[in-house]
Amino acid sequence: MSYSVKWKKSDVKFEDRFDKYLDPSFFQHRIHWFSIFNSFMMVIFLVGLVSMILMRTLRKDYARYSKEEEMDDMDRDLGDEYGWKQVHGDVFRPSSHPLIFSSLIGSGCQIFAVSLIVIIVAMIEDLYTERGSMLSTAIFVYAATSPVNGYFGGSLYARQGGRRWIKQMFIGAFLIPAMACGTAFFINFIAIYYHASRAIPFGTMVAVCCICFFVILPLNLVGTILGRNLSGQPNFPCRVNAVPRPIPEKKWFMEPAVIVCLGGILPFGSIFIEMYFIFTSFWAYKIYYVYGFMMLVLVILCIVTVCVTIVCTYFLLNAEDYRWQWTSFLSAASTAIYVYMYSFYYYFFKTKMYGLFQTSFYFGYMAVFSTALGIMCGAIGYMGTSAFVRKIYTNVKID
């Protein structure tokens, strides 16, 4: 067999030649614009709602608490004290399992930094023109931002009175790489068995492991030492009581488990249309190039997540339940459960995948994506809620 080639002179500039592979009618469809507008309106509504609820209710709370300050001891004993002020002696108590908690928060902050930097780089440079350039950039940026993980994780662990900081540093450094590499290597063995072109060469696996041990770990150590020394001192506005206060009975919908399940619905609602476009570019033959949309969606997701977790935490503290750290993290992280459930719908109704290799490839990498998204959302939710809790307890007078 033979073939001949005929060269024709083109008027299209070299940098614009890749444009014919892009699909503006799909990515810049009216639905895409409507979804962004819809999410933006939801953000305005949520921010307005949160500020209105908190400003009005907090003002009433402050007025009630200052009125109680003016009462004598007899009247105060007869009065019906209730609300978030009652747990001031326990609200800054260290969370249960602080080692895992601080490692998750550090990893979430790092994933957020990686997402932000990679999207900005993709907006400036056309990363979609070369295969694998996006993944290479993400790995490089993840390794370079390891001090972020160490700083936030190490400082939080120190503030919570943790002693085993080296163990926390190791868990924080290897939490995400172990999950991602473990899943990739497992899928790789299936790919090698099927002689698939998707199989990762053994040399690449060794290189990734070397990056984890010789780049990520030392940089994480630097971040941890900086975090412990610069912001590792517990400077809480309220003293922590020696004996934990008993948590009173409350309505079923105020239970942390219910708050966690409901917390992820609104953040997922703000991103699920964008998820469709991302999934289509990842699992179908479309090239994703509208990174400006992705940046907007990331900003919207952060604002919605923080607003939802602040409201959830306010209701939890008002019910005199001071277990807000894990609740704020998990209520934001539950977005990942809804994203993973959506990936099931996408697999069965939008793709034509079948067989063990394709199924394990799809659901394995979707599990990694969803978990990383959940950890990122959880860290954002916790950071916003932590600032809110610190603020309200700084402003109230405590005996």
Side-chain angles (χ1 to χ4, degrees), residues 52-328:
M52 190 180 77
I53 288 174
L54 297 182
M55 279 171 71
R56 284 187 66 186
T57 50
L58 284 173
R59 197 179 291 138
K60 281 182 186 172
D61 290 344
Y62 286 136
R64 183 160 58 84
Y65 292 144
S66 60
K67 195 175 173 185
E68 283 169 5
E69 292 292 330
E70 292 161 13
M71 292 180 186
D72 57 18
D73 292 340
M74 190 72 175
D75 289 341
R76 200 179 301 164
D77 291 341
L78 292 170
D80 54 337
E81 283 208 354
Y82 64 92
W84 51 266
K85 188 190 171 186
Q86 304 314 306
V87 291
H88 66 83
D90 298 279
V91 75
F92 295 107
R93 191 176 295 284
S95 60
S96 55
H97 313 292
L99 194 141
I100 299 291
F101 184 72
S102 49
S103 301
L104 284 167
I105 297 297
S107 298
C109 293
Q110 187 182 3
I111 294 168
F112 176 68
V114 170
S115 308
L116 203 63
I117 294 166
V118 169
I119 292 172
I120 290 167
V121 170
M123 284 164 71
I124 298 164
E125 297 284 328
D126 294 338
L127 289 181
Y128 53 81
T129 54
E130 281 185 48
R131 185 168 177 263
S133 58
M134 194 75 178
L135 185 61
S136 303
T137 308
I139 291 170
F140 174 76
V141 172
Y142 186 87
T145 54
S146 295
V148 174
N149 185 339
Y151 183 87
F152 285 101
S155 61
L156 179 63
Y157 189 60
R159 282 199 300 275
Q160 298 208 336
R163 297 267 177 256
R164 297 175 295 170
W165 68 273
I166 295 174
K167 188 179 179 183
Q168 185 277 323
M169 182 200 71
F170 271 96
I171 291 173
F174 293 126
L175 190 68
I176 301 295
M179 179 189 70
C181 295
T183 309
F185 294 167
F186 169 70
I187 292 166
N188 209 44
F189 288 126
I190 300 171
I192 292 166
Y193 175 76
Y194 279 97
H195 305 290
S197 60
R198 284 280 186 177
I200 304 165
F202 181 72
T204 309
M205 289 191 196
V206 173
V208 170
C209 291
C210 288
I211 288 169
C212 289
F213 283 103
F214 300 118
V215 180
I216 292 175
L217 190 61
L219 288 176
N220 211 298
L221 174 64
V222 170
T224 305
I225 292 167
L226 282 172
R228 289 180 66 81
N229 291 328
L230 294 178
S231 60
Q233 299 304 315
N235 53 344
F236 305 126
C238 306
R239 206 166 35 84
V240 177
N241 291 344
V243 180
R245 176 191 173 90
I247 297 166
E249 288 284 320
K250 51 185 175 293
K251 299 267 175 52
W252 64 271
F253 53 83
M254 287 292 189
E255 289 294 334
V258 179
I259 291 172
V260 164
C261 291
L262 297 177
I265 294 174
L266 277 176
F268 172 69
S270 68
I271 62 166
F272 91 99
I273 296 284
E274 197 63 31
M275 284 295 121
Y276 171 72
F277 288 102
I278 293 168
F279 286 8
T280 305
S281 66
F282 202 77
W283 300 113
Y285 298 99
K286 303 279 184 192
I287 295 166
Y288 192 95
Y289 66 96
V290 282
Y291 289 101
F293 278 110
M294 197 187 272
M295 189 67 170
L296 269 173
V297 168
L298 181 66
V299 171
I300 287 167
L301 175 66
C302 293
I303 296 169
V304 171
T305 303
V306 169
C307 288
V308 167
T309 48
I310 284 174
V311 171
C312 291
T313 303
Y314 177 76
F315 287 132
L316 189 77
L317 292 175
N318 242 3
E320 296 179 29
D321 190 339
Y322 49 82
R323 299 170 296 179
W324 64 274
Q325 285 110 325
W326 274 108
T327 308
S328 65

Side-chain angles (χ1 to χ4, degrees), residues 28-57:
Q28 295 182 29
H29 195 274
R30 203 176 291 169
I31 290 172
H32 206 166
W33 287 102
F34 275 141
S35 76
I36 294 286
F37 180 72
N38 186 29
S39 300
F40 192 68
M41 293 310 291
M42 189 164 96
V43 163
I44 293 171
F45 169 73
L46 260 178
V47 170
L49 184 72
V50 168
S51 52
M52 190 180 77
I53 288 174
L54 297 182
M55 279 171 71
R56 284 187 66 186
T57 50

